[in-house]
Amino acid sequence: MSLVYVGVLSHAPGITGRADLVKNVAVRNEFYEKLDQQRQEIETAKPDALVVVAAEHFANFFMSNMPAFCIGIGAQHTGPIEDPQWLKIPATTVPGHADLGRRLCTEIMQSVDLAYAEEWKLDHGIMVPLHFLTPRYDLPVIPVNINCQGPPLTPLHRAWAFGQALKRACAAVPERVAVVGTGGISHWPATPDSGKINAKWDLEFLHRLGRADKKALLSYTDEATYREGGQGAFEIRTYIAAAAAAGGPLRLQFYTEKLPIFAVGCTVGRFDIR
Amino acid sequence: MRGLRQASNSPDGRGLVSLYQLQKFLYALNRDEASKRRCRDNIHELLNDFDLSDEERTALIEGDIGLLYVLGVNGQILMHFAAFLGIEWFDYLELMRQGIRKHGPVRAGVYAMTGGGERFTAEERAR
């Protein structure tokens, strides 16, 4: 078993970019502490690479050619695409793992039609997690995107299949691989409703992850998700892929809806790997 | 459900084609420094590369965030254009609300209003 860590965490540009506007400083600091704990857990697992399963935000792809899944197999990646002053994360180059990425891609393609990219621009969806999880940018990163943004969206059951394929691919390589899924649950980012969070809906989704309840996780329709969780909730695909990769239940380490300035409920969790 | 059907503002689907071009312009601008320089120097010339309606051209030239939102531009694209124009975050949110009040509901794309464009954060209310 070369899968040594699987977890989830929220991403949003406000988590770094609007940190100084937070009124609820104690909760913000607790969130940051949990992210640092996640960093420590990943480091303790001694991975050779970190696979970040994220959501496309038009950093690399547009509706001219939108893959359902894509993996970054370049030797390095650059980011953020956003104004560094706005995101409050300096522009940097992040090491990739071209050889491992290519082997994972090859294996995943046995069961899932996966696009690949040797050039990858990192946006806040990956840069914010990396800012907390590998702040020195010294851990090779293999980015993965799922189309959670531009309908027709990647079906949930395909996100699950992708996670299972990722698990099989990791088992076929000698390297130690850590995986995080990163997305929001309910949120309405970058719209007039930015800051709205449906905590009840979020917690129900997290409970389903906590039960490793595949049937319940895959039962959401896009219509209901949009109605209850906003367009940002389409990013549950990243959590579902991580759940399938882990195979075990989520142990929720942190959740709050009390940082709406971040425009997302803030989640940190780790899966049991089975 | 209008968002997932990528609702069009015209029966012949012209709105979808045009929204695609509108978002493509902003996508290119957001990620390409050369396009940003061209935009600052002569946005009219840059816009000639895209098949846009008069309303869309005007909205881009005037930096009308509210109208661009109502026309259906995805926020993950639009927020970068707002930053490019030097518009602060809370002002960006308010400009979209003003656009809805002035022009009506979002006409196309993934968005439909679900919360009335209210202010949701204590930080924003406190300003």
Side-chain angles (χ1 to χ4, degrees):
Chain A
M1 174 60 72
S2 63
L3 198 56
V4 296
Y5 177 93
V6 184
V8 291
L9 74 163
S10 303
H11 71 248
I15 292 173
T16 52
R18 295 191 289 279
D20 58 338
L21 297 178
V22 169
K23 304 292 185 187
N24 207 345
V25 173
V27 176
R28 180 199 66 186
N29 291 346
E30 184 182 359
F31 176 41
Y32 288 170
E33 287 167 10
K34 294 299 182 182
L35 290 169
D36 195 60
Q37 177 186 321
Q38 189 171 46
R39 174 189 64 76
Q40 294 173 41
E41 290 177 3
I42 291 171
E43 289 182 358
T44 300
K46 300 187 183 308
D48 296 305
L50 175 65
V51 175
V52 183
V53 181
E56 175 58 35
H57 297 125
F58 309 112
N60 295 283
F61 305 106
F62 186 65
M63 280 72 80
S64 55
N65 192 354
M66 180 65 75
F69 305 99
C70 187
I71 187 169
I73 60 172
Q76 60 185 28
H77 325 291
T78 57
I81 64 159
E82 294 88 351
D83 180 349
Q85 299 298 321
W86 181 79
L87 191 60
K88 294 188 172 58
I89 296 179
T92 191
T93 299
V94 176
H97 200 316
D99 177 52
L100 176 60
R102 186 176 290 267
R103 282 181 280 125
L104 291 177
C105 180
T106 301
E107 180 61 31
I108 292 169
M109 285 171 119
Q110 299 303 315
S111 56
V112 174
D113 295 328
L114 174 68
Y116 66 84
E118 293 192 22
E119 179 181 356
W120 197 285
K121 294 181 186 298
L122 304 169
D123 70 9
H124 69 270
I126 292 180
M127 287 303 297
V128 169
L130 295 185
H131 173 78
F132 291 99
L133 299 183
T134 173
R136 297 182 299 277
Y137 303 113
D138 53 0
L139 176 63
V141 171
I142 299 174
V144 169
N145 264 358
I146 301 177
N147 176 20
C148 307
Q149 193 67 235
L153 303 172
T154 306
L156 298 188
H157 69 94
R158 298 304 295 161
W160 184 274
F162 173 80
Q164 288 183 311
L166 176 60
K167 182 187 188 76
R168 287 193 293 270
C170 290
V173 298
E175 287 89 348
R176 300 169 64 85
V177 181
V179 173
V180 292
T182 179
I185 310 177
S186 70
H187 62 314
W188 286 254
T191 76
D193 300 323
S194 181
K196 182 180 179 182
I197 295 162
N198 185 343
K200 183 179 177 183
W201 195 83
D202 289 357
L203 290 170
E204 170 57 28
F205 177 70
L206 290 167
H207 288 151
R208 294 182 190 193
L209 289 173
R211 300 194 307 267
D213 190 339
K214 175 185 174 184
K215 183 177 180 182
L217 287 167
L218 301 189
S219 70
Y220 292 98
T221 65
D222 285 344
E223 287 77 7
T225 296
Y226 186 85
R227 185 177 61 247
E228 299 294 328
Q231 82 283 352
F234 294 145
E235 294 177 354
I236 61 174
R237 286 157 174 78
T238 63
Y239 285 37
I240 287 172
L250 177 71
R251 298 185 184 276
L252 185 63
Q253 295 164 313
F254 184 80
Y255 173 81
T256 186
E257 78 282 17
K258 295 178 179 175
L259 295 168
I261 188 65
F262 290 170
V264 69
C266 296
T267 306
V268 182
R270 178 176 186 173
F271 289 97
D272 288 352
I273 299 173
R274 292 180 182 168
Chain B
M1 209 286 289
R2 57 181 298 170
L4 295 183
R5 291 197 194 103
Q6 294 279 281
S8 168
N9 58 347
S10 62
D12 62 1
R14 167 63 197 169
L16 287 183
V17 175
S18 201
L19 176 59
Y20 175 84
Q21 290 285 320
L22 176 61
Q23 294 195 107
K24 188 176 181 181
F25 168 82
L26 292 170
Y27 168 76
L29 182 70
N30 289 343
R31 65 201 312 279
D32 180 40
E33 291 303 318
S35 292
K36 288 177 183 173
R37 285 194 295 273
R38 286 183 65 194
C39 188
R40 290 191 183 97
D41 293 343
N42 189 342
I43 188 173
H44 298 269
E45 180 185 279
L46 186 59
L47 289 173
N48 288 337
D49 295 342
F50 297 85
D51 183 15
L52 299 167
S53 70
D54 291 342
E55 186 179 39
E56 290 162 341
R57 283 180 63 91
T58 301
L60 290 169
I61 290 166
E62 295 183 354
D64 190 337
I65 295 296
L67 180 54
L68 291 168
Y69 179 71
V70 168
L71 290 171
V73 175
N74 190 297
Q76 296 290 347
I77 294 173
L78 187 57
M79 70 176 179
H80 297 306
F81 185 54
F84 171 73
L85 296 176
I87 297 170
E88 190 267 345
W89 177 251
F90 292 121
D91 293 336
Y92 160 68
L93 301 180
E94 184 56 28
L95 286 168
M96 288 187 287
R97 296 179 189 119
Q98 290 176 7
I100 293 157
R101 288 196 290 272
K102 181 176 180 181
H103 302 289
V106 174
R107 301 177 194 169
V110 75
Y111 296 131
M113 291 300 296
T114 55
E118 300 173 25
R119 293 177 173 81
F120 286 102
T121 74
E123 292 81 358
E124 189 174 10
R125 281 191 292 269
R127 295 176 78 239

